[in-house]
Amino acid sequence: MTHAVRLCAFMTCALVNLRRRRPVFMGALASVLLLALSACSSLYIPPSPTPGVRGPVLSNVCPDSPARQNPPGYSLPATLPHVDNVVVYVGYSLPDPPGDYIANIDLNRNYVDRFALTALRVRDGVALWHVPTALGRWPYTVTVAWPLAVEAGILVVHDTGADPGVDPGVDPGDLVGLRASDGAMLWRMQLNFQTVTVHGGIIYVGASDAVLAVRLANGGLIWRTPLDGAPFSAPLLVGSSLFTSRSGGAVIALRADTGTVLWDHAFDTEGVGSLPLGAIAGWLYVYVPSNVQCGVDSGLLRLNPVSGVDPGYELRLPGYVEALHPALQTDIFYAVIDSVDMSVTTPSELAAYRLSSTGSQLLWRRPLPDHPAYEITYDAETAYVRTLARSGTISAYHLSDGELWWRRQALMAARLSIAAGDGEAFEATYGMIAPCRTPPIHQAPQIRAYANADGGAIWTRDLDDKL
């Protein structure tokens, strides 16, 4: 399971209990969620237009009207990149050609009816292939947009478009298998997709109300287990068992081969989502957010993976403190420690704790100056932090001691996402079309590769038709 999928699951579950938090936390998490959903979830899909009715035509020359004084801008989304060995995959939208209609010019949104997926060589950004959608088709019938995982020469992607027969405006979140070498479609499966984990030729899917196992080779369904509530986290495979969390704050264990539920452990959190992170020395570690109303502190719990028995906290954080963007590598727990108490003004801190059977040990804590930390991703040696500051920076912290390696100006201050590879970090940004501005803006989405060692830009590519 990738850190990007864990991040999406964590932010989604945190929103369930958002109304119970203090106002400052509500504002901060809501801001985080807005961009996280644009980078971690499916792209915005507006309602289907009425058949035979075309929207307003956008002329090449904007008239002298309020539109010129208050010019609209149209976002062209790009997805979180997915890095696999020597190739980075990214999905993106393309601007509509001249004369194509735009059906909604409110709230800076438009009908983005052209998506594409590209495979770029990590070392130099050369496009190995790109697969565009069919122009103007509705509902969308061609894959693309969201690369999720690669195994055995098959790229698993999330199709952002709806299939024929689906109610207007509903995105079933199709899973699609592409040949990783050239982007050719192998199979597609319609389901209400949320998260995936791929291992051993099987795709384990967290859907809206169930967990599924799907064959990677052909998209065939192996088993489906309904859940009493929506899953909050991607299925975590440990040995022969799968672990996920669901609404109500429960952690569920299933047999990976049959989907049979082994146990269901509920926490007294009134809907706060928990997050299974991994296993160490025979224990399953689960992060649980705080719930002051229920007397629940945030922290890391140990569960018996066989029985679900809860022996208590391995790491307990003070009240009104959360561990954002949690991750577990070997026996070390990493997270951004942030207070949700509006009377506390201390900055967010990136922290590392060593875990053992006798308790946790703080290894280091480093303040994050550009408060708040907005997005974070990890590789084996580095934590990359993208901040919400207007300047828009990407910082690299060494995981062994928390020291800052480098800090670089991002391509954009907002509407971007970062991913980590083997020795590189990748930033993907939105593009912008604003025809009524003077001069008009026509900027394609972009992707940039940074060297891990010093943050130097290795290459930058526009994501457009020219790939």
Side-chain angles (χ1 to χ4, degrees):
M1 179 172 61
T2 67
H3 295 302
V5 173
R6 288 174 176 160
L7 173 63
C8 296
F10 172 68
M11 289 184 176
T12 303
C13 71
L15 185 63
V16 173
N17 202 43
L18 185 60
R19 64 183 179 85
R20 307 177 187 273
R21 307 306 175 94
R22 295 201 172 190
V24 65
F25 184 55
M26 292 177 65
L29 186 56
S31 298
V32 169
L33 186 69
L34 286 175
L35 192 56
L37 289 179
S38 68
C40 300
S41 184
S42 60
L43 300 178
Y44 168 76
I45 304 297
S48 176
T50 304
V53 177
R54 295 180 62 85
V57 175
L58 182 67
S59 61
N60 292 328
V61 179
C62 297
D64 188 9
S65 66
R68 179 179 289 277
Q69 282 75 45
N70 186 22
Y74 307 100
S75 296
L76 298 176
T79 69
L80 182 72
H82 179 79
V83 189
D84 180 72
N85 197 9
V86 296
V87 180
V88 56
Y89 303 90
V90 63
Y92 56 97
S93 57
L94 296 165
D96 296 327
D100 193 23
Y101 71 94
I102 293 177
N104 184 357
I105 61 173
D106 296 326
L107 302 177
N108 290 335
R109 294 173 176 173
N110 70 321
Y111 277 76
V112 178
D113 56 11
R114 297 206 304 161
F115 291 103
L117 180 77
T118 187
L120 305 174
R121 203 160 54 193
V122 163
R123 71 170 185 268
D124 54 15
V126 169
L128 303 176
W129 53 261
H130 66 287
V131 181
T133 66
L135 175 62
R137 296 288 297 276
W138 190 283
Y140 309 136
T141 57
V142 183
T143 66
V144 289
W146 184 261
L148 298 171
V150 179
E151 186 178 284
I154 296 178
L155 171 64
V156 180
V157 304
H158 172 211
D159 188 348
T160 61
D163 277 352
V166 178
D167 291 337
V170 176
D171 175 13
D174 288 8
L175 280 184
V176 184
L178 302 181
R179 196 160 55 207
S181 60
D182 58 8
M185 184 189 299
L186 302 176
W187 54 263
R188 77 182 297 130
M189 178 184 186
Q190 182 178 326
L191 54 84
N192 197 343
F193 154 84
Q194 290 191 13
T195 58
V196 302
T197 299
V198 180
H199 183 79
I202 306 295
I203 308 172
Y204 301 101
V205 183
S208 62
D209 58 354
V211 177
L212 304 88
V214 176
R215 290 185 180 86
L216 176 64
N218 57 20
L221 178 66
I222 301 174
W223 52 258
R224 181 183 186 277
T225 300
L227 296 182
D228 183 16
F232 277 115
S233 61
L236 172 67
L237 181 65
V238 178
S240 60
S241 299
L242 285 176
F243 302 94
T244 188
S245 60
R246 61 166 174 81
S247 56
V251 174
I252 302 173
L254 307 93
R255 284 188 51 168
D257 57 348
T258 64
T260 302
V261 175
L262 301 175
W263 50 260
D264 187 334
H265 181 95
F267 299 100
D268 186 17
T269 57
E270 293 190 1
V272 176
S274 53
L275 185 64
L277 294 178
I280 301 175
W283 291 102
L284 174 68
Y285 282 83
V286 178
Y287 174 72
V288 177
S290 65
N291 189 316
V292 178
Q293 292 85 352
C294 300
V296 177
D297 291 332
S298 65
L300 207 59
L301 292 173
R302 288 188 300 163
L303 295 182
N304 186 313
V306 177
S307 64
V309 172
D310 173 13
Y313 283 89
E314 176 77 11
L315 168 65
R316 187 191 297 267
L317 298 174
Y320 297 107
V321 172
E322 296 285 9
L324 307 177
H325 318 291
L328 191 63
Q329 294 190 19
T330 60
D331 61 344
I332 301 179
F333 173 70
Y334 301 98
V336 174
I337 307 301
D338 196 14
S339 173
V340 295
D341 187 342
M342 59 184 172
S343 65
V344 177
T345 58
T346 56
S348 302
E349 293 182 308
L350 182 64
Y353 297 85
R354 187 180 301 279
L355 306 175
S356 68
S357 58
T358 58
S360 60
Q361 174 192 4
L362 176 64
L363 298 179
W364 50 259
R365 298 179 82 165
R366 296 289 179 268
L368 300 176
D370 294 327
H371 180 77
Y374 196 84
E375 183 180 359
I376 185 169
T377 187
Y378 305 87
D379 61 20
E381 297 181 344
T382 312
Y384 301 95
V385 179
R386 203 275 287 185
T387 63
L388 186 60
R390 288 190 176 184
S391 57
T393 60
I394 298 176
S395 304
Y397 293 85
H398 197 257
L399 291 181
S400 64
D401 54 15
E403 292 298 322
L404 176 67
W405 275 26
W406 50 262
R407 177 172 290 128
R408 294 289 180 265
Q409 181 71 43
L411 284 169
M412 294 178 64
R415 292 188 176 273
L416 63 88
S417 55
I418 56 174
D422 184 14
E424 299 87 11
F426 297 88
E427 169 194 6
T429 71
Y430 275 30
M432 178 66 71
I433 302 297
C436 289
R437 292 187 184 272
T438 304
I441 297 174
H442 184 166
Q443 174 62 57
Q446 291 180 301
I447 182 171
R448 172 174 287 177
Y450 296 90
N452 189 346
D454 59 6
I458 304 174
W459 49 262
T460 304
R461 290 296 304 267
D462 285 343
L463 299 173
D464 55 23
D465 290 306
K466 300 176 183 178
L467 283 173

